[in-house]
Amino acid sequence: MSSKNSEGKRTARERMAQERARQQAIDKRKRVMVIAGAVVAVLAVVAIIGVIVGMSKTNKKKGPWKDALAEPASAPANLSPDGLGVTVGSNPNAPSLIMYEDFRCPICHEVEKALGPTMRALADEGKIKIDYHIASFLDGKLGGNGSKYAANAAGCAQNAGKFAEYHDTLFANQPDELDDKFASRSYLLELAGKVEGLRSPAFDQCVNDLAVASWVDRVNTEFQDAKIGDTPVTGTPTAGINGKMIDLIVKGRGLATPEELRAQIEAATKS
């Protein structure tokens, strides 16, 4: 082997060693960058979680509803004797059909559409009066404020002597259960415009200020442990009269018919 060839081999080995060293340095930098990127990503996630948790804690402590509850307690006028129900009917001495509803409840909407006219006709005839207990528990299950804000607006409508009309308008314009549209006070006021004679400065202020929030909160608290007779109220819609449950939904079939509803109510009021 000539000296030239030996020098060339040494040079080649040196070049290979240098290349390996250079590649190792590149690989090391890549590993450092990957680890650093992962750390940044984790920190970003932690920061986002911190913001969400912080917002959640803040939302529990602050907000229009909490502020309204801090105000002196106020309730709508002309409620049922227990101070919870809104009474509808021509005969104040008639037996009370207690009706538990939530304005975000889709089955309540279906019941009102199919059976509401029959209940209201019986109330107009003086055979019964309806005590509407407006719960707002679905906000806790679905998130949002729509049930509470709608119940407050309905209480404001009671002050204006327009509860029944506004109650029906809310259900007729009920958004999807997961859509918290009733949390918009401007939308609630827009719907009030469909009820002749309801909109006024006093009504609008009552809606915007959540003026009967304490009553809404009390009704929902009572709903948690409510019973009809000895039977616990487990959801909405639920109806009962003289301590007897009224089957709004027939097991295995669906909604009761108006005739079945009327028969149940008449049987309960005669016994």
Side-chain angles (χ1 to χ4, degrees):
M1 181 181 292
S2 67
S3 59
K4 183 177 181 179
N5 288 341
S6 298
E7 182 65 20
K9 288 179 180 179
R10 283 198 299 273
T11 303
R13 284 197 295 272
E14 290 170 356
R15 287 200 302 270
M16 289 175 65
Q18 290 171 352
E19 179 61 24
R20 281 197 299 271
R22 187 180 72 83
Q23 190 61 47
Q24 287 172 353
I26 292 173
D27 291 343
K28 183 178 180 179
R29 284 196 300 272
K30 286 182 177 180
R31 285 196 299 273
V32 170
M33 290 176 67
V34 168
I35 293 171
V39 170
V40 170
V42 170
L43 290 175
V45 171
V46 170
I48 291 170
I49 292 173
V51 169
I52 292 172
V53 171
M55 288 176 64
S56 176
K57 290 180 178 178
T58 300
N59 288 340
K60 289 180 180 178
K61 294 180 179 179
K62 298 181 180 180
W65 190 256
K66 292 290 185 182
D67 293 343
L69 289 177
E71 295 295 321
S74 180
N78 302 318
L79 297 174
S80 58
D82 60 8
L84 300 170
V86 180
T87 304
V88 174
S90 62
N91 180 5
N93 298 315
S96 294
L97 175 72
I98 299 181
M99 187 75 185
Y100 291 94
E101 296 179 319
D102 185 310
F103 283 120
R104 288 180 75 178
C105 163
I107 304 302
C108 296
H109 166 71
E110 294 301 320
V111 166
E112 280 296 336
K113 184 168 66 174
L115 303 177
T118 300
M119 287 186 276
R120 201 67 61 76
L122 288 168
D124 290 342
E125 293 166 12
K127 294 181 178 179
I128 63 169
K129 61 177 181 283
I130 307 171
D131 284 342
Y132 290 98
H133 288 234
I134 306 300
S136 48
F137 74 105
L138 283 176
D139 286 348
K141 293 184 176 296
L142 303 174
N145 292 301
S147 292
K148 296 189 291 287
Y149 283 26
N152 176 82
C156 298
Q158 170 66 2
N159 282 335
K162 297 284 185 178
F163 172 85
E165 298 91 332
Y166 190 56
H167 164 278
D168 295 351
T169 299
L170 286 172
F171 276 120
N173 293 273
Q174 184 189 67
D176 181 82
E177 186 180 15
L178 298 178
D179 182 353
D180 197 28
K181 195 171 183 180
F182 281 162
S184 167
R185 281 168 277 185
S186 61
Y187 181 59
L188 294 172
L189 291 173
E190 178 186 328
L191 293 180
K194 297 177 180 288
V195 178
E196 185 177 357
L198 178 54
R199 289 293 298 270
S200 71
F203 173 81
D204 290 6
Q205 184 175 359
C206 182
V207 172
N208 285 321
D209 292 350
L210 302 170
V212 293
S214 58
W215 168 72
V216 173
D217 190 61
R218 192 158 66 93
V219 173
N220 193 60
T221 299
E222 181 272 344
F223 169 74
Q224 307 306 317
D225 299 314
K227 291 183 177 181
I228 293 177
D230 295 325
T231 305
V233 174
T234 58
T236 57
T238 297
I241 191 166
N242 284 349
K244 298 178 180 179
M245 295 287 287
I246 297 297
D247 294 325
L248 302 171
I249 299 171
V250 179
K251 187 175 180 180
R253 196 194 71 199
L255 293 179
T257 65
E259 293 75 22
E260 288 170 339
L261 176 67
R262 181 181 282 269
Q264 288 185 74
I265 291 174
E266 288 178 350
T269 55
K270 287 177 182 177
S271 58

